Amino acid sequence: MPTNFTVVPVEDGGAGMSTLEDVFSEEDEEDVSPRRPYSGDVTPRESSPFINNTDQDQENYYDGKNMALFEEEIESNPMVSSLLNKLANYTNLTQGVTEHEEYEDEEGVTKIRVKSPQMGTFIGVYLPCMQNILGVILFLRLTWIVGTAGILESFAIVVMCCTCTMLTAISMSAIATNGVVPAGGSYYMISRSLGPEFGGAVGLCFYLGTTFAGSMYILGTIEILLTYIMPNAAVFVAEKKEGEAGAMLNNMRVYGTCCLALMALVVFVGVKYVNKLALVFLACVVLSIMAIYAGVIKTVIEPPDFPICLLGNRSLQNHNFEKCVKTEVIKNVTYTTKLWELFCDSRHLNATCDEYFTLNNVTEIQGIPGLLSGVIKDNMWGDYGPSGMLVEKKRQSSVPAQDNSRDIYMPYVFNDISTFFTLLVGIYFPSVTGIMAGSNRSGDLRDAQKSIPFGTILAIATTSFIYMTCVVLFGACIEGVVLRDKFGDSVKKNLVIGTLAWPSPWVIVIGSFFSCCGAGLQSLTGAPRLLQAIARDGIVPFLQVFGHGKANGEPTWALLMTAGICEIGILIASLDAVAPILSMFFLMCYLFVNLACAVQTLLRTPNWRPRFKFYHWTLSFLGMSLCVSLMFISSWYYALVAMSIAGCIYKYIEYRGAEKEWGDGIRGLSLNAARYALIRLEEVQPHTKNWRPQLLVLLKLDSDLGVKHPRLLSFTTQLKAGKGLTIVSSVLEGTYMTLGAEAKSAEQNVKSAMHAERTKGFCHVVVSSNLRDGFSHLIQSAGLGGMKHNAVLMAWPGAWKQAEDSYPWKNFIETVRETTSAHQALLVAKNIDKFPSSEDRLAEGTIDVWWIVHDGGLLMLLPFLLRQHKVWRKCKMRIFTVAQMDDNSIQMKKDLQMFLYHLRLNAVVEVVEMHDSDIAAFTYEKTLVMEQRSQMLKQMQLSRNEREREIQSITDESRISIKRKKSSVVETLKAPNTLQVPSLSISRDMREDEEAQLITKLGTKSHGNLNDNATATATPDHRVHMTWTKDKLITERNRNRSEPNVGVKDLFNMKPEWESLNQSNVRRMHTAVKLNEVVVNKSQGAQLVLLNMPGPPKTKGGDENYMEFLEVLMDGLDRVLLVRGGGREVITIYS
């Protein structure tokens, strides 16, 4: 906690000021470094909890004296007044309209002061949207779309596309008014609403769309230049008519590349030059639209004179002849015309001419008959056709020719591409894009939350009205053959929409040329900054290089990348082929804008409070559905490619991208879905068919808070394979107030180990007063609702005999009891460090299951789950069961095989017969030593020498009893008996505080060693070897009788005869010994042995004996998994 708070002000101006520094000066000696970097010669001051911390504000030290109760919170949480002051002074600068306002020098970041934004709705949103929406498609392709699709279908295309953008604008308005939207437009809105994965994927798609839009505008510019302004400037000229299309494409590539280089150079020099020309480009668009409407009105009064020539019903290219006649009579002499020369092999009247030319007459009609001509009836329906189809006038009579093979060489007007409805949708849709122009300028707006919705929706409504009226007016004023003439060949190479304009076609030609130039420059200006914004967010690692630029922040590398991608579109060289590509990317962007709004609305998150109220999730869903429909209507294969690109980017960001927490709606959606699923899961108990082990893994940490047995996590991964629930947990002993930081550090270590072992799950480290209570709390409360664990996995305490105290094995047994009480399965892995890692591959071997008792079928399910993992995949499964004397082993094997067949499990079945036999002497001796050890450990108050002598005496006496009882073991006593007794090293230098702390930790356990300030350690290096004979035993016992310590003799003066042994322990030991012999005999070479785990004793008196039974049962086996069922069936034969 900072210590420079003023405590009490004094009257003399602060000379005698008392601060907390004086009180806690010793604590400050460890932390005197400044909390933030500084520059200059002034000595840095320590950070203050107050916002204003300058020397000039010394008199303001009274500001917080009335808030002394919150003085600790003020360090991290500023006063409300200071917070409001910062929010009121918040400024947001545009991105991509003006020069970057900050640059980075060698000493740090220096910011240049700029004037506050002042633009309103009309200038800042409405006009930019209008300029971006009305563009190249309107001028170059809309008349052709109307002629090809007809008025009705064209109107449907316009309505669909405009509805899509209107619904998207409503969704965008809701998002844009839900707080401050920094410059960045749709990328910012989508990424902050749907998360970094969706944001990065859609942001890059939007970037590609903007880049290809630049290609489209440049191709439109070059098409206007070479077709209508300077047709003689072509570099490639076709010698034959069939080569004209190829020559035109090559010209587009050459001039397009040069135009791209010039525009990129202008953008590189400075965006301010582009901004200065923005008004000129806008004026061109406005004047062109006004000229179109003026021309429509003019056709009512006086239609313009643009005659077209028809041969039969076929439209002719009239830029190579002046008169639409075959012959003309001059002074009673008949002469052929230039049109005759185009269809005949000579100028003479007896020349051989084209058959169709000979059979049909030439007719001249007006290309622009006018609004009142009634041509709208002919243009109501579409006229689709393949590439190379002749443009013919409907309802015009003609005589067909027998041979049409030479039509391609004649001056007819042809379809250059195959036409169909879906293609026209893809070509038209780019004409309604550009609705993000207002949101991209949010930093320049006086009131963005008011201007963006109103300006954008008004601009879409205006442009939609323009497009709809243009569709109807074009169909009502222009002849159908002229509308279907894409390049104006039938009207002397004039721009078709220009023939309708007033006062001159050049108004449209020049206006559309500069409009396309301006749109191309804006695309090359906006796309690099969008890429730079994505790169600086750090969500796509391989794009980091594009976040850098010039000293003032201009995105140089991003501009080069944009120019390179734009060149790809230019090399395609066809505006009709590029338009559907960028349509896909824009539709993908609009789809996710609608999705973001719908998700936020349905989730009803507390932060979702848009000022724009005219939205609804159904509108967003309708807009999203319309976007998907338009994608597949335009081009299903382009749609699949665009979705694949977005999907690949999404998965890449998810796998390799930086983790960002932006409070996105997808996380909220996940939380809602998880909550709903948890509630549904808790309603009913899961069916046996859906049962899978949901593991609670109990880890042990070392002294450095690292995972002691990482192979336990590997085994978890192999068993789960990422399916179901996994909770990895551990317990620290102490209090959370003192070990809170250690708990967080331990949790991070466990998470790192889980990541290294590829264990998918949750991690939780708790702090408890003792380990037993901590594990008990985890078993009871881990998980949530229906997602709770049903099985516990832990490692066998291998060193329980050598432990200093009995806590390890007592904790283990208590865990076994608690899992049984909680009806949870228990998996205990012995020698877990010998288990294979997830990188190992077991080439061969078996997984042996010893099915002694049926506890729900978990023993048979676990090998099946393990064999799904590549580590155990090549291992075969063997199932052993034990038959008693009264059992029919042959029938048992058949029944078990049939049972496994119904369970769909492939395993080798073997029935092992265990006959009743007499209990061997070894079993009695093993039981005797076990009970004596229990007695020995209860007498911790004995001294070292007394303990050793008494233990040896009791052992030898028991051997004498065995000799007397069983003559079969007489020979074994003739040899010297050797007993190894662990020495108890006594530490004499324990301090009093350590002793108190140890007593607190041990709680209620026996404190015999603490009373002597001793800590018992059992290591293999400290052993006392004694060889006893009968004479030595008698001598030692007589010596003990003369010693004064009679209490010790009384405590150990038991008669460990076989008859006095606990018969239950003898039977249990007999079972353990016999079963171990059988298991070792059959499964010693197995890769893994699964055994039924016997239940713990009901009373705590036999806990240590229980550990001994388990130790004997697993003796001689490397990898063992003890399995104890949870009391329910986990496998079924039914489907």
Side-chain angles (χ1 to χ4, degrees):
M1 187 179 74
T3 60
N4 56 342
F5 299 135
T6 300
V7 178
V8 180
V10 295
E11 297 178 355
D12 58 355
M17 188 181 301
S18 174
T19 65
L20 292 179
E21 254 179 298
D22 304 326
V23 181
F24 297 101
S25 58
E26 294 182 0
E27 298 180 10
D28 288 346
E29 292 176 0
E30 299 179 0
D31 187 15
V32 295
S33 60
R35 296 186 182 270
R36 57 189 176 199
Y38 64 95
S39 61
D41 300 326
V42 182
T43 303
R45 299 173 54 192
E46 293 189 38
S47 63
S48 169
F50 304 108
I51 301 300
N52 298 322
N53 185 25
T54 60
D55 294 334
Q56 289 79 11
D57 295 333
Q58 290 274 342
E59 65 277 7
N60 293 333
Y61 67 90
Y62 291 100
D63 289 351
K65 70 177 184 178
N66 292 329
M67 293 294 168
L69 182 62
F70 299 95
E71 59 185 9
E72 294 185 0
E73 285 80 3
I74 294 176
E75 170 64 23
S76 57
N77 303 318
M79 296 286 289
V80 174
S81 59
S82 302
L83 178 64
L84 293 176
N85 184 39
K86 282 191 172 183
L87 293 177
N89 293 329
Y90 178 85
T91 59
N92 184 26
L93 304 176
T94 186
Q95 180 178 359
V97 178
T98 60
E99 294 285 327
H100 280 233
E101 282 75 20
E102 60 180 41
Y103 64 90
E104 184 172 332
D105 55 16
E106 298 178 355
E107 298 180 358
V109 176
T110 305
K111 295 184 178 180
I112 302 174
R113 298 181 63 88
V114 296
K115 59 182 180 180
S116 59
Q118 294 294 328
M119 283 197 293
T121 303
F122 186 76
I123 300 296
V125 179
Y126 180 76
L127 290 181
C129 286
M130 288 277 293
Q131 182 180 355
N132 281 267
I133 294 173
L134 301 173
V136 60
I137 300 297
L138 170 64
F139 300 122
L140 296 183
R141 292 293 182 268
L142 187 57
T143 54
W144 173 73
I145 291 174
V146 173
T148 304
I151 295 175
L152 293 180
E153 294 185 23
S154 300
F155 197 83
I157 293 174
V158 173
V159 169
M160 280 195 305
C161 295
C162 292
T163 302
C164 177
T165 55
M166 179 62 77
L167 294 174
T168 303
I170 293 173
S171 300
M172 182 195 70
S173 299
I175 299 174
T177 57
N178 186 50
V180 178
V181 178
S186 59
Y187 164 68
Y188 182 90
M189 289 188 291
I190 294 172
S191 62
R192 270 58 177 181
S193 297
L194 295 180
E197 293 86 3
F198 278 108
V202 181
L204 286 176
C205 285
F206 189 51
Y207 163 74
L208 292 175
T210 307
T211 304
F212 276 103
S215 301
M216 184 185 71
Y217 292 130
I218 292 175
L219 290 175
T221 302
I222 302 305
E223 182 177 315
I224 295 171
L225 177 68
L226 295 180
T227 306
Y228 307 112
I229 299 178
M230 298 174 60
N232 296 326
V235 177
F236 299 92
V237 179
E239 296 180 357
K240 297 182 180 180
K241 184 176 178 61
E242 57 268 24
E244 290 180 357
M248 183 62 181
L249 293 179
N250 289 329
N251 287 322
M252 297 282 283
R253 294 185 179 103
V254 172
Y255 278 94
T257 303
C258 296
C259 183
L260 172 63
L262 181 62
M263 288 185 177
L265 181 62
V266 172
V267 174
F268 176 78
V269 170
V271 185
K272 56 185 178 181
Y273 300 108
V274 179
N275 295 329
K276 290 180 179 179
L277 295 174
L279 187 60
V280 176
F281 302 144
L282 177 61
C284 292
V285 173
V286 174
L287 290 175
S288 299
I289 299 297
M290 293 175 64
I292 293 173
Y293 282 103
V296 171
I297 297 173
K298 174 75 164 44
T299 61
V300 178
I301 304 171
E302 182 184 355
D305 183 23
F306 281 98
I308 59 174
C309 188
L310 298 178
L311 177 61
N313 63 350
R314 299 178 182 180
S315 178
L316 299 178
Q317 301 178 3
N318 63 358
H319 48 81
N320 290 324
F321 59 90
E322 296 295 333
K323 298 179 181 180
C324 184
V325 290
K326 294 181 180 180
T327 60
E328 57 180 347
V329 178
I330 302 176
K331 296 180 180 180
N332 296 326
V333 179
T334 303
Y335 295 95
T336 59
T337 62
K338 290 185 178 180
L339 180 60
W340 179 281
E341 297 177 10
L342 295 174
F343 287 90
C344 302
D345 56 2
S346 69
R347 300 175 57 184
H348 305 292
L349 292 172
N350 60 353
T352 304
C353 298
D354 180 73
E355 181 182 2
Y356 188 84
F357 179 78
T358 305
L359 295 175
N360 293 275
N361 295 323
V362 177
T363 308
E364 186 176 69
I365 62 175
Q366 283 295 325
I368 313 295
L371 190 62
L372 304 179
S373 63
V375 73
I376 189 173
K377 296 179 181 179
D378 297 332
N379 296 331
M380 195 63 70
W381 305 101
D383 187 14
Y384 302 104
S387 175
M389 186 187 78
L390 296 171
V391 176
E392 298 176 343
K393 179 176 172 56
K394 300 175 184 178
R395 301 178 183 177
Q396 180 83 10
S397 61
S398 65
V399 180
Q402 297 295 327
D403 184 15
N404 296 321
S405 59
R406 294 190 55 83
D407 286 349
I408 189 174
Y409 303 104
M410 300 297 122
Y412 297 122
V413 179
F414 297 93
N415 280 353
D416 62 328
I417 59 173
S418 298
T419 55
F420 41 89
F421 179 79
T422 56
L423 173 71
L424 301 183
V425 175
I427 293 176
Y428 173 76
F429 187 81
S431 65
V432 297
T433 60
I435 63 175
M436 301 291 181
S439 61
N440 290 341
R441 297 166 178 258
S442 58
D444 288 336
L445 301 176
R446 186 182 301 112
D447 186 358
Q449 296 192 6
K450 178 181 177 182
S451 298
I452 290 177
F454 185 72
T456 303
I457 293 176
L458 185 60
I460 294 175
T462 304
T463 53
S464 299
F465 173 79
I466 292 174
Y467 282 127
M468 292 177 188
T469 54
C470 283
V471 166
V472 177
L473 294 176
F474 291 165
C477 296
I478 305 176
E479 184 63 49
V481 290
V482 179
L483 288 174
R484 292 193 295 277
D485 184 4
K486 183 186 294 186
F487 301 106
D489 291 320
S490 61
V491 286
K492 298 186 181 297
K493 276 292 183 179
N494 278 301
L495 183 61
V496 175
I497 195 174
T499 59
L500 184 62
W502 181 85
S504 169
W506 285 99
V507 175
I508 300 293
V509 173
I510 301 300
S512 59
F513 177 79
F514 283 108
S515 174
C516 293
C517 286
L521 284 172
Q522 288 181 348
S523 297
L524 292 179
T525 301
R529 281 159 179 77
L530 178 59
L531 181 61
Q532 186 183 48
I534 299 173
R536 286 184 172 178
D537 267 347
I539 59 176
V540 185
F542 69 85
L543 294 179
Q544 296 290 336
V545 64
F546 299 111
H548 307 289
K550 293 194 295 185
N552 62 352
E554 287 293 321
T556 306
W557 294 107
L559 178 61
L560 291 176
M561 181 68 177
T562 303
I565 298 175
C566 194
E567 177 65 18
I568 297 175
I570 290 175
L571 292 178
I572 296 175
S574 173
L575 188 149
D576 301 320
V578 173
I581 297 176
L582 65 99
S583 295
M584 294 301 112
F585 292 123
F586 278 117
L587 282 168
M588 182 82 68
C589 175
Y590 297 164
L591 184 152
F592 282 100
V593 169
N594 286 289
L595 176 63
C597 182
V599 167
Q600 297 280 21
T601 306
L602 289 174
L603 289 179
R604 298 179 181 175
T605 53
N607 192 53
W608 179 247
R609 303 184 301 275
R611 291 190 177 275
F612 180 76
K613 301 299 182 183
F614 304 100
Y615 70 95
H616 195 268
W617 69 267
T618 55
L619 296 178
S620 300
F621 186 78
L622 180 61
M624 183 173 61
S625 303
L626 194 54
C627 287
V628 175
S629 302
L630 287 175
M631 287 179 68
F632 283 93
I633 287 175
S634 301
S635 176
W636 63 269
Y637 47 89
Y638 278 162
L640 293 178
V641 170
M643 289 182 174
S644 300
I645 292 174
C648 292
I649 298 171
Y650 178 93
K651 297 304 294 184
Y652 176 79
I653 296 174
E654 186 181 50
Y655 179 67
R656 294 291 303 275
E659 295 183 1
K660 298 285 184 180
E661 178 52 57
W662 288 331
D664 52 89
I666 292 299
R667 179 172 291 272
L669 185 63
S670 301
L671 290 175
N672 269 23
R675 179 188 62 84
Y676 176 78
L678 287 174
I679 293 175
R680 290 293 303 273
L681 283 175
E682 201 172 21
E683 292 177 357
V684 292
Q685 189 74 9
H687 194 271
T688 302
K689 291 185 290 186
N690 296 327
W691 194 95
R692 66 168 62 246
Q694 317 285 9
L695 290 181
L696 171 65
V697 184
L698 301 180
L699 287 181
K700 187 175 182 181
L701 303 179
D702 54 24
S703 57
D704 297 329
L705 301 179
V707 178
K708 191 172 184 179
H709 301 295
R711 290 295 172 87
L712 198 61
L713 296 175
S714 301
F715 184 71
T716 303
T717 303
Q718 297 158 22
L719 184 62
K720 300 288 291 180
K723 305 294 190 302
L725 175 69
T726 302
I727 303 175
V728 181
S729 57
S730 187
V731 178
L732 297 182
E733 199 168 5
T735 62
Y736 190 75
M737 293 295 295
T738 57
L739 297 179
E742 286 80 356
K744 290 183 174 62
S745 176
E747 194 164 310
Q748 290 299 323
N749 293 340
V750 174
K751 287 181 179 179
S752 300
M754 291 174 65
H755 180 73
E757 301 295 338
R758 298 180 181 178
T759 304
K760 297 180 180 180
F762 306 99
C763 171
H764 192 37
V765 177
V766 300
V767 181
S768 180
S769 58
N770 56 73
L771 297 178
R772 175 181 169 184
D773 290 344
F775 287 126
S776 176
H777 294 156
L778 286 171
I779 291 172
Q780 295 177 55
S781 61
L784 180 64
M787 287 295 287
K788 290 183 68 70
H789 62 279
N790 54 26
V792 177
L793 174 62
M794 60 189 303
W796 169 260
W800 66 275
K801 289 185 178 180
Q802 290 79 28
E804 298 178 0
D805 50 48
S806 59
Y807 256 43
W809 57 268
K810 283 187 176 180
N811 287 335
F812 174 79
I813 295 177
E814 288 302 319
T815 303
V816 176
R817 287 196 176 101
E818 286 170 355
T819 55
T820 303
S821 299
H823 301 289
Q824 297 174 1
L826 178 64
L827 311 178
V828 179
K830 180 190 175 185
N831 297 331
I832 186 62
D833 293 329
K834 294 183 180 180
F835 277 56
S837 68
S838 297
E839 303 299 328
D840 296 335
R841 303 290 182 273
L842 300 180
E844 58 184 6
T846 60
I847 301 176
D848 289 357
V849 178
W850 285 85
W851 192 22
I852 311 301
V853 294
H854 179 66
D855 56 356
L858 184 58
L859 270 173
M860 289 175 286
L861 183 61
L862 291 177
F864 170 77
L865 295 176
L866 282 174
R867 292 182 68 243
Q868 305 304 307
H869 197 274
K870 51 191 174 183
V871 174
W872 304 90
R873 187 165 295 157
K874 295 184 179 180
C875 293
K876 299 185 181 300
M877 179 178 170
R878 297 193 301 178
I879 295 183
F880 297 89
T881 188
V882 177
Q884 301 297 326
M885 283 292 295
D886 298 335
D887 296 329
N888 186 341
S889 58
I890 298 177
Q891 187 62 37
M892 283 182 61
K893 184 173 182 179
K894 291 182 179 179
D895 293 342
L896 183 54
Q897 288 175 338
M898 181 59 64
F899 182 57
L900 293 177
Y901 175 79
H902 288 305
L903 290 176
R904 290 89 65 199
L905 295 176
N906 297 321
V908 178
V909 176
E910 187 170 344
V911 178
V912 179
E913 296 182 353
M914 287 185 62
H915 302 291
D916 292 339
S917 60
D918 294 334
I919 300 176
F922 173 76
T923 303
Y924 280 104
E925 185 175 356
K926 194 79 174 175
T927 309
L928 182 63
V929 173
M930 177 187 70
E931 292 190 354
Q932 290 171 353
R933 187 176 186 277
S934 299
Q935 294 283 352
M936 176 192 69
L937 293 178
K938 293 178 181 179
Q939 313 303 325
M940 297 302 293
Q941 67 270 27
L942 296 179
S943 64
R944 175 182 176 182
N945 294 332
E946 290 171 339
R947 187 182 301 115
E948 291 173 354
R949 287 196 298 269
E950 285 296 327
I951 292 172
Q952 191 64 48
S953 174
I954 293 172
T955 305
D956 284 2
E957 189 176 63
S958 67
R959 294 185 183 277
I960 295 172
S961 299
I962 294 171
K963 177 181 178 182
R964 184 170 61 250
K965 190 73 177 177
K966 293 288 183 179
S967 58
S968 61
V969 294
V970 172
E971 297 299 326
T972 61
L973 289 177
K974 293 181 180 180
N977 297 317
T978 303
L979 179 65
Q980 295 183 353
V981 182
S983 66
L984 304 177
S985 59
I986 303 174
S987 174
R988 299 294 184 184
D989 57 351
M990 181 180 293
R991 296 188 302 174
E992 293 182 0
D993 57 343
E994 294 176 353
E995 182 181 40
Q997 183 180 4
L998 188 57
I999 291 174
T1000 303
K1001 290 182 179 180
L1002 296 180
T1004 59
K1005 77 168 194 174
S1006 175
H1007 302 326
N1009 57 339
L1010 294 179
N1011 295 334
D1012 296 333
N1013 290 336
T1015 302
T1017 59
T1019 60
D1021 298 329
H1022 297 81
R1023 292 179 178 174
V1024 179
H1025 297 267
M1026 295 183 180
T1027 304
W1028 286 75
T1029 63
K1030 185 175 181 180
D1031 294 335
K1032 287 185 178 181
L1033 172 63
I1034 296 173
T1035 303
E1036 184 65 16
R1037 292 183 65 181
N1038 291 334
R1039 186 177 67 82
N1040 288 339
R1041 290 191 182 97
S1042 63
E1043 292 181 355
N1045 192 359
V1046 184
V1048 175
K1049 181 251 180 187
D1050 292 337
L1051 288 172
F1052 283 89
N1053 191 15
M1054 311 169 192
K1055 294 182 179 180
E1057 304 288 345
W1058 286 356
E1059 293 83 354
S1060 64
L1061 292 175
N1062 187 319
Q1063 293 305 309
S1064 176
N1065 288 341
V1066 173
R1067 290 195 303 272
R1068 290 172 181 270
M1069 183 62 73
H1070 176 67
T1071 302
V1073 171
K1074 295 293 291 182
L1075 189 57
N1076 176 258
E1077 290 177 356
V1078 175
V1079 173
V1080 170
N1081 182 38
K1082 296 286 187 179
S1083 303
Q1084 192 170 19
Q1087 297 288 1
L1088 180 63
V1089 178
L1090 281 76
L1091 286 170
N1092 279 117
M1093 183 177 185
K1098 295 181 179 179
T1099 61
K1100 297 185 179 181
D1103 285 357
E1104 186 181 7
N1105 298 339
Y1106 175 70
M1107 296 293 293
E1108 193 72 43
F1109 294 146
L1110 295 181
E1111 192 73 58
V1112 172
L1113 182 63
M1114 297 184 293
D1115 189 31
L1117 300 172
D1118 281 340
R1119 298 175 187 150
V1120 182
L1121 186 66
L1122 294 177
V1123 181
R1124 183 164 176 78
R1128 62 161 296 174
E1129 293 292 331
V1130 301
I1131 194 168
T1132 178
I1133 64 174
Y1134 299 104
S1135 61

